[in-house]
Amino acid sequence: MSLNERQQEAVEHGDGPLLVLAGAGSGKTRVLVHRIARLIEQRRAYPHEILAVTFTNKAARELVDRCASRAGGAAADLWTGTFHGIGARLLRRHGNELGYPTEFSIFDSDDQIRLIKQLLDEANIDPTVIPPEAVRAFIERQKNEARPPADVSSSGDDEFGNRAVDLYAAYQQRLKTLGALDFGDLILGVIVLFRENPELLQRYQRRFRYVLVDEYQDTNHAQYLMVSMLAGLHRNLCVVGDDDQSIYAWRGADIRNILEFERDFSGAHVVRLDRNYRSTANIIEAAHAVISNNGARMDKRMWTENADGTPITVFTAADERDEAAWVVEKLRGLGDARGDAAIFYRTNAQSRALEEALVSARMPYVIVGTTRFYERREIKDLIAYLRFVQNPDDDLSLARIINVPARGIGKVSWERLRAAAAGQGIPVWRAIRDGVADSALGPAARTKLARFAHIAEAWIADRDTPEMSGLLTAIIDDTDYLTFLENLPGEDGRARVENVGELLNVTRNFDRLHAEEEDEETTPAGVDSVDELAERLNDASNDDVLDIDPELGPLARFLEQLTLAAEVDSYEGGSAVTLMTVHNSKGLEFSHVFLIGMEEGIFPHARATADEDSAGIEEERRLCYVGMTRARQELTLVHAVKRQVFGNLQYNFASRFIDELPGERIVTASSPQLTGESRPVRFGIGYEDGFHDDISFDDDREPERPFDPPSPKAAGTPRVSEPPAQPSGGYRVGMRVVHPMFGPGTVRKCDGSGEDVKLVVQFQRAGVKKLVARFARLEII
């Protein structure tokens, strides 16, 4: 397929900043590939002078592969990867300038929480008063905003803020002691590195003649600063993105980065890719009708030459079980095509009824985004062993494995070891190795510790082995780990053993690929001869000679690949139905898409509807747009009249997004379980004075999602018109009540009479909830 006129315009743009507004299904990857290939073919840049940043590792691999098909082996010299991958590469080279070892560990969110809990314990801070997750979210926000501890000040009388500032500083210092960084450090560390070493920044600015960034709408402030620094000399920054698909504000993404690109980079050229090649006209027109209700968006309208296709189905179910049964029946009707079908939901909690229905129908399915393989207990145990072997200073990994399987080094012994090491200002392993901690332990504990230290020394001595499978097998055998798994209580011992076998398969695949890389010729890819290499180097200044990445051992490379892998990197599709949250659907496409739970309080989520926050509603609408535009042929939206949530039966209006669909593009259907009286009112009818229920499901943003302590805004009264205080089924506005789960609260609105009265209650801890009195289990206090 040839490039269309606008794609060609983006590809052929010369020097200077370029914004490519690439709508859903508009061929943005094709534009990136052709632009990079053209830069190389026209000798405007050598491959190593081009930096391309993608949102996932999978996208980076696809970009390199497709560039190689056009530009040949030279594409292998491109600097490609995610922000975190590029950051890790730069810090492996230069992290010593900041006091980090070359083979630093990378902590995930679970590691962060464990470290924060340790710091809270050391500071005698009650974790119920200062929650570890809230501290982690605070630290993440600072790093997203590119603020190291020195740039964060106390906040007056705010106890949490003051404690969090101190904990942030202690957390960073402890990371450095452990020879570790977290994900935020992989970006912030680069910024600090360049700020403190301007000559180093200038070298990389000269090096990268062209910088390209995909999914720019999802960048945070720190990422914005990083690419701005690197593109600061040549100003050849090309960003590709779609403001209508900005859905990660809760991760720190700042939609202003794309909305204000022309202001930030003067003289920027803007190209709008508004032709969709993926979806039918009905889907595109419906998606546009929804997203056009957002105010904070750039001017564009997607269009397609594809046929109208099947109208969008809007189905009204009686409840969540009826919803699941109907969807499964529709999937059954697809036959083999259901392997290219997906069910999207706003929150992970919604998958339960679907899974039960699919199991009953004996229909295979796969869930993307639940407990990942590398988050299972047995896998995290073995990876902790590998991380300790690679970086013995990593006290968190050592704490996890020192008594797993049990070897008589319990919590008391560990605390004594840690205290002895802290007294000397050294990591625990050094205290064990050097005998510093011997006096803190009894004879029996010293003997058991000596046995562990002996086998651990052998693993560490073998950490440079080229075969990860051999090292992992030695750890499993030396610790008798499989027997430990088989003897764990419960019935999942065999499944855990099988998971260990799968991890061994992963190491064997890594060994095979590593061996193939070692056999490749050492002449850089894309160089036809030694003479051409010499010519390339002569053309470059001394600062621009190809840098050599530090020689990481196979173990360090293996662990970095695992740590930086994203959920969608391993998703390949197949013959089963796919279940996932709408957030996880980004970048994927399916022939048939079912969007379920399309109800007020679920989608849009209760957090956005509670106080009608316009920014929150607009992000929810963008998320809906993303879900809709994943569909190629058929799109179905499903909502239920009532739904069980935390034991409460809640009645819900259909989502406002359904009300925004163009009537000529949809067909509607209802469950036979519904009577005429129980059919739901559409969202737009009488909403200001009517009642709708907000669902308080757990969000889908686990495991690395920020938690914000309740703020005055979040706990405020929603925008509703309160009627005069009057009895209504025993309740009245202003009455104090208590709920077994949500705790004490105040009635803010009553609607109805008797046991059917509907209540708006502002709870002290849980915020605003909307409940039906007969199911709410409220007590008047």
Side-chain angles (χ1 to χ4, degrees), residues 430-503:
R430 296 189 198 178
I432 295 173
R433 184 194 62 193
D434 298 340
V436 171
D438 287 354
S439 61
L441 304 175
R446 284 201 301 269
T447 300
K448 293 167 183 174
L449 186 63
R451 291 191 195 124
F452 170 76
H454 177 70
I455 58 173
E457 288 278 17
W459 301 330
I460 294 171
D462 289 342
R463 66 181 171 186
D464 292 329
T465 176
E467 293 190 354
M468 287 303 95
S469 56
L471 176 60
L472 182 60
T473 299
I475 291 172
I476 293 170
D477 291 345
D478 290 345
T479 59
D480 201 13
Y481 189 77
L482 295 184
T483 301
F484 161 72
L485 290 180
E486 291 168 350
N487 292 331
L488 283 176
E491 301 179 357
D492 58 351
R494 178 173 297 180
R496 292 183 185 277
V497 170
E498 290 174 353
N499 288 336
V500 172
E502 182 59 28
L503 182 61

Side-chain angles (χ1 to χ4, degrees), residues 344-361:
F344 300 159
Y345 34 79
R346 179 62 181 81
T347 63
N348 278 316
Q350 293 169 257
S351 72
R352 181 185 58 82
L354 282 168
E355 291 186 71
E356 291 176 357
L358 288 164
V359 169
S360 296

Side-chain angles (χ1 to χ4, degrees), residues 83-150:
F83 272 102
H84 294 107
I86 296 296
R89 183 175 181 183
L90 290 169
L91 292 173
R92 295 286 186 202
R93 288 182 170 192
H94 310 290
N96 62 304
E97 299 283 349
L98 302 176
Y100 290 103
T102 298
E103 296 195 351
F104 52 75
S105 298
I106 302 175
F107 279 12
D108 61 17
S109 57
D110 181 57
D111 299 320
Q112 291 178 274
I113 291 296
R114 290 168 59 209
L115 178 54
I116 292 168
K117 286 179 177 178
Q118 189 179 106
L119 294 171
L120 290 171
D121 182 57
E122 292 173 5
N124 294 316
I125 297 175
D126 186 348
T128 63
V129 176
I130 306 293
E133 181 60 36
V135 177
R136 191 195 70 84
F138 174 87
I139 293 172
E140 184 174 283
R141 284 196 298 273
Q142 307 314 312
K143 294 184 178 182
N144 286 342
E145 292 296 321
R147 290 194 291 260

Side-chain angles (χ1 to χ4, degrees), residues 27-39:
K28 66 181 178 69
T29 304
R30 182 176 176 81
V31 167
L32 282 170
V33 169
H34 280 255
R35 179 164 175 78
I36 291 171
R38 188 178 183 87
L39 293 174

